Structures are given as structure tokens and as C-alpha cells.
Amino acid sequence: MELASEDYEERNVAGRLAETHWKLAKTIKQENGVTGECGEHLDKAAQYYCQTLPRYDGKQGLAKVKRQQGKQHPDDGDEAAARECLEEIATLEGEYDVHLLTDADKRRLDE
């Protein structure tokens, strides 16, 4: 990131880092279930996806991370945090005028 001299170069690097953290989180989840390490990679992926906004890949990536985090929070007994994750996706939709919420997301928000 530090070597990037242009904004688009920084966004490209951030996008690659985001995808790497996303893939690591998924791999860890498949092998060990949801762990603290999995959550750390999801947080890092979200951070890097935010750096790629307003690109569509950044919006879509941030939505998939928030959706995954929203699925984990109820398992931890934190329904409010789960709702907050889904509301963040809805906010992205409104802010960037793009469809990101799935039907399942909408049902969870209604519940």
C-alpha cells in the first residue's frame, strides 16, 4: 500500500488484501469453525473493502463480510450486533444506489 502512488493503485492493493482476508476467514471457518482468528480476518477484510469504495467490488465485498458477521452474532447471543450488520448493508444500498440485500437479509431484518 505504501508503494502505491496513485489512488487507483491503493484501491487495487486494498481490494486484493480484502479478498485475501476474506478467503482466510472462510478457510479458517471451514477447518475450525468460527474462531477469534476468523473474526479478525473478517474485520480486516471489511476495513480493506471500505478503502475500495465506491467501487462495486468494495460494496459487494463489504456486504458479504457484514452478512457473514451478521450470521455469527446470533450464535454469540448478540442479536443487536447482527441487526446492525444488516442495517449497514442497507445503508450501503441507499448510499450507493445498488442492490446488496438478499431476500434472506430482508427477512432477518423484518424479524
Side-chain angles (χ1 to χ4, degrees):
M1 291 278 284
E2 295 168 3
L3 297 175
S5 59
E6 300 290 330
D7 184 55
Y8 75 91
E9 292 172 330
E10 284 185 25
R11 289 182 187 200
N12 285 340
V13 172
R16 288 187 189 122
L17 289 169
E19 281 299 309
T20 300
H21 282 287
W22 169 254
K23 289 175 184 175
L24 283 169
K26 286 185 69 164
T27 300
I28 291 167
K29 181 181 175 192
Q30 287 175 345
E31 292 175 1
N32 305 324
V34 177
T35 65
E37 186 180 6
C38 177
E40 290 172 21
H41 284 293
L42 288 174
D43 290 341
K44 281 295 218 183
Q47 174 189 347
Y48 286 121
Y49 279 127
C50 284
Q51 291 178 6
T52 67
L53 295 174
R55 289 182 179 176
Y56 181 74
D57 289 346
K59 293 175 243 183
Q60 188 178 32
L62 187 55
K64 73 182 176 184
V65 169
K66 291 298 176 184
R67 185 173 297 111
Q68 182 62 45
Q69 289 173 327
K71 289 177 184 176
Q72 287 176 219
H73 288 303
D75 295 340
D76 299 336
D78 195 350
E79 293 291 331
R83 180 171 183 76
E84 187 177 310
C85 286
L86 294 173
E87 287 173 346
E88 287 181 49
I89 298 171
T91 300
L92 278 173
E93 268 194 347
E95 187 175 338
Y96 292 104
D97 193 31
V98 64
H99 179 72
L100 297 169
L101 284 170
T102 65
D103 290 338
D105 294 339
K106 291 175 186 175
R107 275 195 309 276
R108 278 191 224 114
L109 272 172
D110 290 341
E111 292 172 358

